[in-house]
Amino acid sequence: MTAITTTDPRAATKAALERFLTGRSATVSLRDVPGDDRTRRLPYVQVRLNGNGRDSRLNFEATIRVLVYARDDFDSQQLASELEARLLDTSDALIRSVSPGLSAMPSTDPDLHIPFSFFTVTVRTRPVALGG
């Protein structure tokens, strides 16, 4: 029997978000928001993993949290809502399907004191056969 794994669901989601934001000045990352108030580039889109697993040998899924930081809560909410809609329509070489979780919710980062909106989705990644 062939061993089966999958692509990192965070990396697959990040790649899709980068495609959606091509030509815009937004940054997409798996890391925390860098810089201080004077040097921080916004909007900043952070991809986080809330949990993952598989329910069969070939079906991998992960709950992904996407945080969208912007200069004000309106901009963060607008961009988060757009990215959520685009992700829900995604099927590509890495992602098989995406289903909704929590819709975009505005908030303020308690440490950075900057507005952000976040949403969650369930991302199902495509299986990858291991050689050998």
Side-chain angles (χ1 to χ4, degrees):
M1 186 178 319
T2 303
I4 304 291
T5 189
T6 192
T7 304
D8 179 346
R10 296 171 312 146
T13 304
K14 178 181 179 282
L17 292 169
E18 287 171 333
R19 272 195 323 276
F20 305 149
L21 292 168
T22 298
R24 298 205 219 174
S25 62
T27 301
V28 181
S29 181
L30 303 177
R31 300 179 186 272
D32 289 337
V33 180
D36 60 31
D37 290 342
R38 294 180 318 279
T39 61
R40 188 173 295 119
R41 291 182 51 203
L42 298 175
Y44 188 88
V45 179
Q46 183 183 32
V47 179
R48 304 294 297 252
L49 178 67
N50 273 16
N52 65 352
R54 63 166 95 181
D55 61 8
S56 72
R57 194 166 162 265
L58 299 176
N59 192 31
F60 298 87
E61 64 180 39
T63 302
I64 298 291
R65 182 171 17 120
V66 177
L67 298 94
V68 179
Y69 293 85
R71 294 279 173 217
D72 62 54
D73 58 354
F74 179 79
D75 287 346
S76 68
Q77 180 72 14
Q78 289 293 107
L79 184 54
S81 294
E82 175 189 338
L83 294 176
E84 177 188 23
R86 291 185 183 279
L87 274 175
L88 292 173
D89 195 38
T90 298
S91 180
D92 60 24
L94 303 176
I95 295 174
R96 187 172 50 194
S97 66
V98 180
S99 58
L102 294 174
S103 290
M105 299 277 295
S107 189
T108 299
D109 187 292
D111 297 322
L112 301 174
H113 307 289
I114 55 177
F116 73 97
S117 290
F118 70 96
F119 63 90
T120 64
V121 290
T122 299
V123 174
R124 285 169 205 80
T125 52
R126 296 193 185 277
V128 176
L130 294 175

